[in-house]
Amino acid sequence: MASNFKTPTPQTLQDAQTDALLALLNLNSPGDSAFLGKAQGGLAIPNAAPPVWKILVLDQYTKDVLATVLRVQDLRDVGVTLHVQLHSNRPPLPDVPAVYFISPTLANIRRIAEDLEKSTYESFHLSFVEPLPRSLLEELAACVAKDGTGDLVEQVLDQYLSFLCPSPSLFSLIPPAAVPLPPSTPAAPNGGPSTPTRSSYELLNSPTTSEQQIDEELERIANGLFSAVATMGQVPYIRSPRSNAGEMIAKKLDTKIRDAILSSARSGSGLFAQDSSGLGTLQRPVLLILDRNIDLVPMLSHGWTYQALVHDCLDMKLNRVVVTLPQKRSYDLDSKDFFWAKNAVKPFPQVAEDIDTELNRYKQDAAEITRSTGVSDIGDVSQMDLSSNAAHLKTAITQLPELTARKATLDTHMNIATALLEQIKKRGLDELFSIEEGGTKQTTQTILETLRHPKPDVAPTATDKLRLVIVFYLSLPDHAISKEEIAELEKELKAAGANVAAFEYVRRTREISRMTIPGAAGTSTPVVQQQGGELFRGFSALGNRLTDRLKEGGLENLISGVKNFLPANKLFPVTRLTEALMDSASASTQSLQETDDYLFLDPRAPRTGAYAPGAGTGGQQQQKGRRMTFGDGIVFMVGGAGYVEYGNLEEWARRAGKRVTYGGTEILDPGGFLDIIERLGQEK
């Protein structure tokens, strides 16, 4: 039984996961959950008991789940005094209860049995990130029975939390156990870090993958997607194109949800018990499961939003970003970071403008405190004369922590903006973005000229050039580019030091599937503003604020010559298909024709007629289910998700007044995805 405590108010997936994790850490005790409101900044309950102090035991996978939504202080607030790795050497603490939040693996079960035998902790609360298979449950039971340690085990729970939520409306599945790459796999072709495991995209598209491996991967994806749906607590309608991995996952997911609903109906409790009456039918979301091959362009194109640039140019894992210059520092970017929450999906020039605005607001607030307290600098408030300034003491004490935190946040984003601007200047990312946004208006000659003669002081990497060529190729209709032109492009790429295996793979895939990018809605060109416009002043303002290093003009030198592009308001294919399913009145005829034939599954409906998995397109129910209006939607990409596509979907949802959660088997940066398709291109 899952231990997720739900509320009737709409939540983001990240909120729901956070609530479930906090309940888990609170020993899954509803009686103590009132303290969680206090821990999260809500109203304290007068009679709420203080938290039980405890140890938290994690493994590598659950550590990542926790790290994306909770900070160390959050753990302290719910009584976690120490968090440790399961397979590390841990001293016994026989008078302290322990919460185990781990993956259901044989190695983990045996280590738990060892801890029980040694009575390492006072009591054991075992929570598994995904359902514990019966074979492993029996293994644990046998060990407990043999050692006579059953009295130490307080709980054994399935949590359905096997996904990562780096943003409120973004998620990915936790990675699988290590699957080694084929022996012939070379090192990372682009000089990036070698990928230690095979990604979902590689497994599902490689000719060397066995049927068993494919079945296991599809089952893993369906289990992870079921965890996300169960945590949200609402039964979705499921849509998917036919005859691909998405359809198989949709059918597996439909079966899992049906089984959970049946179990809840029998027991009166369970994952979907709160929705068993059907009262939430009108608010049910639609879940769209798509194969990554439907559109490769967003995975390789150069983004221009803040989060896309950070993910592309800097070392970003989960919510942690590493900036190497002028010195190596890491920063955590999450929904608690007010600036990141507000600006992540905005174009970078607007982010620069907002930094300027926030800096001015900070200076005004700091000046107000110094004026009212009579000190010359905000750092000297602690030295103020309390006898003459007692009236302002409360205000200063109240505002100082918030101002200090705000300054630290702005410092963080100033440093990140500096690092991004250096990459933009060095690699000419503004020009690459402009060319790719032009899409079908570009010619082969324009691309060749860009490859051969970049602008002075601009040096795109071999990877940048390869990505540009692939995006250009995929943006054109079939057969719009001749074999001679392809040969010329390949020659220039090789001269630049690029591995053209990825280009060969994309061409081969397109020949097989006739993969095209519907560009009717995306032919508009980017808006180019002259330097010195409103947004460019935002860049200039960055150059002389807050820190001495910036005051010296280092950033101003970087930004001179950087063009100010705003992305065109066009819909990517995934966004266009989402619009057709959620808001058919606004969608194009082409999109509606595509989605009308999609598989339609309703896990709440009887398994008959058109609703049954594998049913045809006929039947009145199927016709009725084709075009509906939804306020909430989930888009899941089998083979990987990316921040460029996420930003496009978020922008459409904001304009349309919809709530969309976007996810994938993993979140891949462009370099990482390029490595994957290069390996596929090298396979025979």
Side-chain angles (χ1 to χ4, degrees):
M1 179 189 301
S3 59
N4 301 359
F5 296 104
K6 305 283 194 312
T7 63
T9 55
Q11 284 185 309
T12 65
L13 180 58
Q14 189 182 61
D15 288 339
Q17 186 184 47
T18 302
D19 286 352
L21 286 169
L22 288 172
L24 176 160
L25 296 174
N26 209 46
L27 307 182
N28 298 283
S29 172
D32 292 338
S33 62
F35 187 80
L36 299 181
K38 183 176 181 181
Q40 292 181 290
L43 294 175
I45 308 299
N47 297 322
V52 176
W53 302 110
K54 61 192 79 75
I55 301 294
L56 175 62
V57 183
L58 305 165
D59 63 19
Q60 186 59 42
Y61 299 104
T62 55
K63 177 176 71 70
D64 288 346
V65 173
L66 217 67
T68 53
V69 294
L70 295 177
R71 297 179 178 179
V72 173
Q73 185 56 48
D74 299 321
L75 299 182
R76 297 284 184 270
D77 288 340
V78 289
V80 175
T81 58
L82 182 67
H83 57 282
V84 293
Q85 283 286 316
L86 174 64
H87 293 284
S88 63
N89 293 323
R90 291 170 279 122
L93 296 167
D95 57 345
V96 178
V99 174
Y100 283 68
F101 180 43
I102 51 176
S103 306
T105 65
L106 181 58
N108 287 354
I109 292 294
R110 288 177 175 169
R111 185 57 190 263
I112 292 171
E114 287 180 26
D115 291 348
L116 284 165
E117 184 185 9
K118 297 174 183 176
S119 297
T120 307
Y121 305 111
E122 178 186 59
S123 59
F124 290 68
H125 302 257
L126 308 181
S127 286
F128 293 92
V129 71
E130 55 189 3
L132 180 67
R134 185 171 184 83
S135 60
L136 293 182
L137 181 60
E138 291 173 351
E139 173 79 14
L140 176 62
C143 293
V144 168
K146 183 184 72 172
D147 300 330
T149 54
D151 291 343
L152 295 176
V153 181
E154 293 287 337
Q155 297 171 320
V156 180
L157 295 170
D158 295 332
Q159 291 293 343
Y160 299 96
L161 293 171
S162 56
F163 57 94
L164 307 171
C165 261
S167 298
S169 56
L170 175 69
F171 73 101
S172 65
L173 308 186
I174 60 172
V179 179
L181 295 170
S184 60
T185 302
N190 294 317
S194 179
T195 307
T197 61
R198 300 183 77 184
S199 70
S200 293
Y201 187 86
E202 188 171 358
L203 276 169
L204 297 176
N205 289 277
S206 171
T208 64
T209 306
S210 67
E211 288 286 336
Q212 180 182 349
Q213 287 177 312
I214 291 176
D215 289 342
E216 290 173 352
E217 181 65 8
L218 294 178
E219 183 67 21
R220 183 188 76 85
I221 295 170
N223 285 335
L225 195 47
F226 177 76
S227 286
V229 170
T231 300
M232 295 182 91
Q234 288 183 306
V235 179
Y237 297 99
I238 304 173
R239 305 298 303 269
S240 173
R242 298 176 183 275
S243 304
N244 62 20
E247 178 181 5
M248 291 184 278
I249 292 168
K251 291 176 179 178
K252 286 177 179 287
L253 180 63
D254 176 67
T255 300
K256 292 177 186 296
I257 296 176
R258 286 178 182 275
D259 291 344
I261 292 173
L262 183 60
S263 175
S264 297
R266 287 172 176 168
S267 64
S269 62
L271 295 173
F272 301 106
Q274 69 163 11
D275 199 25
S276 59
S277 63
L279 295 178
T281 301
L282 296 177
Q283 300 174 349
R284 288 170 60 188
V286 60
L287 167 61
L288 174 59
I289 305 175
L290 297 171
D291 189 278
R292 182 66 271 167
N293 282 330
I294 201 167
D295 185 17
L296 295 184
V297 168
M299 301 301 293
L300 297 168
S301 60
H302 293 85
W304 198 236
T305 63
Y306 192 24
Q307 62 187 4
L309 282 168
V310 169
H311 200 231
D312 186 1
C313 301
L314 305 178
D315 180 10
M316 183 177 183
K317 184 178 186 296
L318 301 178
N319 286 329
R320 177 154 293 185
V321 176
V322 177
V323 176
T324 55
L325 295 174
Q327 59 184 3
K328 188 172 182 178
R329 297 193 62 180
S330 62
Y331 305 99
D332 291 323
L333 304 179
D334 54 34
S335 57
K336 299 180 183 69
D337 181 326
F338 78 92
F339 192 88
W340 179 253
K342 178 182 177 183
N343 290 284
V345 298
K346 290 184 179 179
F348 191 57
Q350 292 182 9
V351 175
E353 179 75 4
D354 203 52
I355 288 180
D356 185 30
T357 302
E358 290 293 338
L359 286 171
N360 284 329
R361 191 166 71 88
Y362 166 79
K363 287 187 67 176
Q364 291 170 3
D365 292 347
E368 177 61 25
I369 288 185
T370 57
R371 184 192 63 78
S372 63
T373 56
V375 297
S376 58
D377 185 85
I378 193 170
D380 299 330
V381 169
S382 59
Q383 308 300 321
M384 60 188 283
D385 181 2
L386 300 184
S387 61
S388 60
N389 293 280
H392 304 293
L393 179 59
K394 182 179 179 180
T395 301
I397 290 176
T398 303
Q399 293 184 358
L400 269 177
E402 189 273 335
L403 277 176
T404 303
R406 205 196 314 172
K407 180 180 184 297
T409 298
L410 294 176
D411 258 332
T412 292
H413 290 282
M414 291 282 274
N415 291 335
I416 292 174
T418 304
L420 290 180
L421 280 167
E422 185 172 350
Q423 288 289 309
I424 292 169
K425 285 279 290 181
K426 181 180 177 181
R427 294 161 54 187
L429 298 182
D430 51 339
E431 294 292 338
L432 294 174
F433 168 76
S434 172
I435 294 171
E436 291 170 0
E437 279 280 282
T440 54
K441 293 191 175 183
Q442 305 297 342
T443 64
T444 306
Q445 198 56 43
T446 305
I447 303 300
L448 286 171
E449 187 65 23
T450 303
L451 298 178
R452 291 167 179 163
H453 306 293
K455 294 190 174 181
D457 301 323
V458 170
T461 64
T463 299
D464 287 327
K465 294 180 178 181
L466 179 59
R467 287 164 57 187
L468 173 66
V469 169
I470 294 176
V471 169
F472 167 68
Y473 172 77
L474 290 175
S475 298
L476 298 176
D478 280 344
H479 309 300
I481 182 170
S482 68
K483 291 183 178 180
E484 291 75 17
E485 289 174 317
I486 290 175
E488 194 69 21
L489 289 169
E490 282 196 338
K491 178 182 175 183
E492 291 301 325
L493 288 174
K494 289 177 180 178
N499 188 329
V500 297
F503 190 24
E504 294 170 357
Y505 170 78
V506 169
R507 298 203 311 273
R508 188 167 70 233
T509 304
R510 188 171 187 177
E511 285 299 316
I512 294 171
S513 63
R514 289 298 171 193
M515 181 175 54
T516 58
I517 301 305
T523 55
S524 56
T525 55
V527 179
V528 182
Q529 296 190 1
Q530 295 298 319
Q531 297 177 18
E534 285 298 314
L535 291 176
F536 198 79
R537 284 211 294 273
F539 277 122
S540 300
L542 275 173
N544 50 21
R545 303 283 184 175
L546 203 58
T547 64
D548 292 339
R549 177 169 56 83
L550 297 177
K551 287 179 181 177
E552 291 169 358
L555 193 55
E556 279 188 340
N557 294 334
L558 283 175
I559 62 174
S560 57
V562 174
K563 288 189 177 179
N564 228 359
F565 294 107
L566 292 177
N569 288 328
K570 65 178 183 179
L571 302 184
F572 290 174
V574 169
T575 306
R576 186 175 52 77
L577 296 172
T578 304
E579 180 185 50
L581 290 174
M582 293 186 67
D583 190 10
S584 57
S586 303
S588 66
T589 303
Q590 177 193 359
S591 302
L592 292 172
Q593 289 173 346
E594 286 182 58
T595 55
D596 277 349
D597 192 45
Y598 277 15
L599 185 73
F600 179 90
L601 298 173
D602 180 3
R604 285 208 174 279
R607 196 188 285 271
T608 56
Y611 282 95
T617 58
Q620 292 182 349
Q621 288 180 319
Q622 174 70 8
Q623 293 289 343
K624 180 182 177 182
R626 279 182 176 176
R627 297 184 183 179
M628 302 167 65
T629 299
F630 296 93
D632 294 312
I634 309 164
V635 179
F636 186 81
M637 304 304 300
V638 180
Y643 276 100
V644 171
E645 192 168 66
Y646 172 52
N648 189 257
L649 196 60
E650 280 274 278
E651 178 61 23
W652 168 80
R654 184 187 63 79
R655 292 199 310 265
K658 307 289 185 180
R659 289 202 335 157
V660 178
T661 301
Y662 173 75
T665 47
E666 52 260 304
I667 299 173
L668 296 168
D669 62 83
F673 188 74
L674 194 62
D675 288 344
I676 291 169
I677 62 175
E678 281 186 0
R679 287 197 295 271
L680 289 170
Q682 290 166 342
E683 291 181 355
K684 303 300 181 184

